[in-house]
Every structure is written in structure tokens, then in C-alpha cells.
Amino acid sequence: MDFAGVNGGGSVDASSAEKDFVQCEKIVREWARSALEEEIEGDGHTLQDLLFFLHVPRTGGRTYFHCLVKKVYGAALECPRSYDKLRFDPRKPKCRLVATHDDYSIMSMLPREKTSVMTVLRHPVDRVFSAYEFSVEVASRFLVHPNLTSATELTKRIRAKHKGRDARKMKGLSYVNSNDSYNVEEMAMPLHQFINEPVVLDTVHNGATFQVAGLTNNSYLAEAHDVRHCVQKFTILGEHVLQVAQKRLDNMLFVGLTEKHRESAKMFVNVVGPQVISQIASDSSMEGLSKIKSVTEQNSLLSDSELDSNYHQDGTSDQKTTENVSTENLEGIKKNARLLVPDTVLQQIRSLNSLDLRLFKYAEGIYAKQNERMHELVTTVSYYLGEIPHTILFASTYILFGDMLLDVQLG
């Protein structure tokens, strides 16, 4: 590795950089070795007593959780204060579902052998766009703007109204009248500046990889900061972090994709749903049977039409839209606006998220394998039950329990 010029030039700088690299390589390698050794070999596709939904920000996870995962389990089985790191207690009775923005290191607080993990990933470039849009939307609330589109439209009206007395023109400064919603300096920090902000470099770029690896700035691991700093300083060391993240995806119960939201939802309910009922059915008490009935009744509503209406691709259905702009139109406006972003900015985003791009590609392969297993499951159930209505299988009272097909009598 050529260290000359790492810090601006000179043999002294090169020597110092080489020492830093050697130290960083040792730190990252030791962490990666330990992390891989902790991974439990076994069938990660079998639901354990506790399900941890690792919620990567800006992937639609909030909608995915509330409109799908929580409905599959029922509110009674959700661990209290899942998103409250200071007060979350996984030892609470009836705690079978936890969802949080915490990274994978929270597994150190959970019974690892009895915990399954799931997550949803999104294409890194789209996730960065969404992070920027969300940041502007949150800031715009103080200006009574529900979203980026509203703020941009106001800026255009202001420009038109004061076209003849623009202060910058009067001072001889250049003025570019652009429809690029991601470069409106009068209202918000431009995207090209946002992606280079220190907090964004530390928490957004490659954020999915660091979160799955358990190395975010909110990690429970003492060495997380040093490992992350070393990887950000010497990008070649990111290979070790990526290897750990990929291994953990391999061992997850389920990996969804934001870009395939509808298919992901159906897949989760078909593959994981029967296991949830099987798990509850193992409780032979009347309370267990009551839970099955409650969960099944809730999920009988999860038809194809409900999935489409309850889950939106951008995962921002909980955000307000402008009074006269529908969610579908707003998504169209966003997509068109993104086409105006310069290629140089897009290329920089890709470069800054090289690990996430490779992790997403890897996740697509896992998703394809999950899809194959789902079709095998549907074929098996169809063999036993004959023709099944085109609704999600979880609405059926039949469940898979090991190698047996059980008919749960709900009364």
C-alpha cells in the first residue's frame, strides 16, 4: 500500500500513515475475528423465541414494522420500550418481538441462542436521498412546510416575486435559476454539501453495513468507535467489516428489500407467519390458543390490496404530504427531481457508500433464495390443502409445525 501523500506529502507523513495503518489493521482484524467467532452456526431460518427487527433508517422500516410485523405478532407480544435504549428490558414476560434502530451489537443484551434477526435494506443511493429529504422535511416543520416539495415551491414563488430586486444580483453575484430541488441554497443546505458534512460521513454513508456489523456511533461495543474510524480512514479495511455484515445477513431469519416492498411483505408473512403461529401453538394453555385466534384474526386482513394500501415504497407514509398532492404524485415529483442531480454528485454518493452498495447486492442474492424457499412452502401447502384462494397463507388456520401440517382448532 502506497502511503506517500496520505497526509499531504513527505516521508515523515508516509511513515506515520504506515504506522497508523498497521495499528488500524490490527484493531479491525481482531474485531472481525471475534465477531465471526460469535456467530452461531445453525438454521438461521427457523424462528427462535425472540425476533429482533434491526431497523435500518430510511428503509421504510417503521411502516414495515407497524403495518406488517407487528400485525403478525400482535401487540401483546411486542417488547415494551423497544426504541428506548435506556429503559428497554428484554427480560420482560411475553417479550417476543423487539424493533429498534440499535445496531447488531444489541445482541449482547439478548439471549443470542434464542434470538432471530430480520432487517430490510434499501439501495444506498436512494437511502441517501431519503436521508437528505427527511432532514429537510424535519427542518421545514419549523417553517410550516410538511416536506421538501412544499419548501421548494415556496422558494420558486419567492424568486418570481422578487425577481427584479435579487440581493445577490445587486451585489454582482452569480445566480442560477434551477428546478433542482436538491440545490436550493436559499432554503436548505444543498445535497452536494450535505453528503460531505461530518455527521453524514459518520452516520449515513455505509450506515447499513455498519449497523448490521454493530459498529454505529450508538454501538454497545467499546471498540466500535476505533474500528469505524479506522475503516473510514483506510477504506481497504472495510473488507473485514463487509465480511462480518454479509455473514450476519446469511444467518438472519429474513431480509427484505425496500425496492420490492410488496413482494417482501408477502414473503415475510408466508415464510415467518406460520412459524409465529407454530411457536404460539407450542404453548398448550388456553392462553396460547387465544393468542393464535387473535393473531390469525388480525392477519386475515392482510390481503394483496391491504398490503398495497398499508405499505408505500418510500416508507414515508407516516409523513404529512401537501394538502393538494397525493402520496403517489409526491413520489413521482421526487423521482423526477432526482433525475436533475448531477452525475458528479451521484458518483460521489456511490463512492462514499461502496460498502453499502456491495452489501445491498449481496442482500439481493439472499432475497432471491428466500423467494425460492417461499415458493417451495406454497407448493407444499398447496399439495396438502389443494387450491388456495389468492390471499396470504397466514390467514389460514392450517400451520406448519416441523414436518407436520396441523389444523389448529380455534373454536
Side-chain angles (χ1 to χ4, degrees):
M1 182 175 182
D2 184 9
F3 295 96
V6 170
N7 293 313
S11 59
V12 175
D13 287 339
S15 176
S16 176
E18 185 173 3
K19 290 180 181 178
D20 287 346
F21 176 79
V22 171
Q23 180 64 22
C24 274
E25 185 178 32
K26 180 181 179 181
I27 292 173
V28 175
R29 281 183 177 275
E30 288 182 355
W31 164 82
R33 177 184 53 78
S34 176
L36 290 173
E37 287 177 354
E38 288 177 356
E39 286 300 299
I40 300 174
E41 295 297 332
D43 184 9
H45 305 128
T46 299
L47 179 66
Q48 302 301 319
D49 294 344
L50 177 65
L51 176 61
F52 165 36
F53 178 23
L54 190 154
H55 180 181
V56 177
R58 314 317 305 159
T59 59
R62 178 182 176 84
T63 306
Y64 201 96
F65 175 72
H66 287 284
C67 295
L68 182 66
V69 182
K70 194 171 180 179
K71 283 184 176 291
V72 170
Y73 268 85
L77 297 179
E78 181 186 0
C79 302
R81 305 186 186 281
S82 290
Y83 281 89
D84 189 337
K85 182 175 181 177
L86 296 178
R87 292 184 285 179
F88 167 60
D89 184 0
R91 294 169 296 182
K92 292 285 185 180
K94 303 178 183 178
C95 173
R96 291 196 174 184
L97 173 64
V98 55
T100 172
H101 282 305
D102 282 304
D103 62 32
Y104 198 92
S105 65
I106 196 178
M107 290 289 283
S108 62
M109 292 182 59
L110 306 175
R112 184 179 292 268
E113 298 83 1
K114 298 180 179 181
T115 302
S116 295
V117 186
M118 66 166 289
T119 193
V120 177
L121 297 183
R122 184 179 193 177
H123 193 282
V125 175
D126 289 330
R127 202 175 75 83
V128 171
F129 272 120
S130 183
Y132 174 74
E133 291 160 2
F134 182 69
S135 299
V136 174
E137 287 171 12
V138 171
S140 297
R141 291 171 193 169
F142 293 95
L143 300 172
V144 200
H145 288 295
N147 50 52
L148 176 61
T149 303
S150 174
T152 303
E153 290 300 318
L154 176 61
T155 303
K156 291 179 180 178
R157 291 197 295 270
I158 293 175
R159 284 176 175 173
K161 184 176 181 180
H162 300 285
K163 189 174 182 180
R165 46 193 179 90
D166 191 303
R168 289 176 300 176
K169 285 184 177 180
M170 295 171 63
K171 294 179 180 179
L173 300 177
S174 62
Y175 179 88
V176 178
N177 187 9
S178 171
N179 291 322
D180 184 359
S181 301
Y182 297 93
N183 187 21
V184 188
E185 294 186 58
E186 296 89 342
M187 295 297 298
M189 177 187 294
L191 176 64
H192 65 82
Q193 183 178 340
F194 172 83
I195 62 176
N196 289 296
E197 282 294 301
V199 67
V200 177
L201 291 169
D202 192 42
T203 62
V204 177
H205 300 315
N206 289 322
T209 303
F210 285 128
Q211 191 166 350
V212 174
L215 296 173
T216 67
N217 62 340
N218 198 35
S219 177
Y220 288 86
L221 301 178
E223 66 270 30
H225 172 77
D226 291 339
V227 174
R228 194 173 69 254
H229 171 75
C230 284
V231 171
Q232 290 170 340
K233 185 174 183 179
F234 303 105
T235 56
I236 192 173
L237 297 179
E239 292 292 328
H240 302 288
V241 177
L242 182 63
Q243 183 181 6
V244 172
Q246 289 175 337
K247 180 65 175 179
R248 287 178 172 168
L249 286 186
D250 284 333
N251 291 338
M252 286 189 182
L253 176 70
F254 178 79
V255 177
L257 300 177
T258 305
E259 286 73 12
K260 296 184 180 293
H261 66 100
R262 184 172 179 273
E263 294 87 346
S264 291
K266 291 180 65 176
M267 188 185 300
F268 174 82
V269 176
N270 277 300
V271 174
V272 181
Q275 295 191 63
V276 175
I277 296 186
S278 298
Q279 191 180 76
I280 299 174
S282 64
D283 179 1
S284 60
S285 67
M286 290 304 296
E287 181 182 4
L289 292 177
S290 176
K291 287 178 182 177
I292 295 173
K293 182 175 182 179
S294 173
V295 173
T296 304
E297 287 176 346
Q298 288 182 31
N299 289 280
S300 64
L301 300 176
L302 290 175
S303 63
D304 289 349
S305 59
E306 267 77 23
L307 284 173
D308 279 336
S309 63
N310 284 342
Y311 192 86
H312 300 289
Q313 181 167 348
D314 194 49
T316 55
S317 59
D318 57 320
Q319 302 297 327
K320 295 180 180 178
T321 57
T322 53
E323 184 176 353
N324 297 318
V325 180
S326 68
T327 302
E328 292 76 12
N329 289 338
L330 187 59
E331 294 310 311
I333 292 173
K334 285 182 179 180
K335 289 180 180 179
N336 290 333
R338 292 175 183 180
L339 295 175
L340 299 175
V341 175
D343 288 339
T344 52
V345 176
L346 294 176
Q347 184 55 43
Q348 187 178 12
I349 293 175
R350 295 188 191 99
S351 176
L352 291 168
N353 290 273
S354 58
L355 295 178
D356 272 9
L357 282 168
R358 293 172 63 187
L359 186 68
F360 182 77
K361 186 70 175 178
Y362 192 81
E364 288 182 314
I366 293 176
Y367 182 87
K369 294 178 182 178
Q370 289 176 163
N371 195 38
E372 292 176 4
R373 289 198 299 271
M374 183 189 73
H375 286 297
E376 290 174 0
L377 172 64
V378 171
T379 301
T380 301
V381 175
S382 297
Y383 175 80
Y384 282 101
L385 301 182
E387 195 67 28
I388 299 177
H390 190 59
T391 55
I392 292 179
L393 295 175
F394 192 37
S396 172
T397 59
Y398 287 86
I399 62 174
L400 286 173
F401 188 76
D403 295 327
M404 299 183 296
L405 193 69
L406 302 182
D407 181 4
V408 179
Q409 300 299 323
L410 301 180

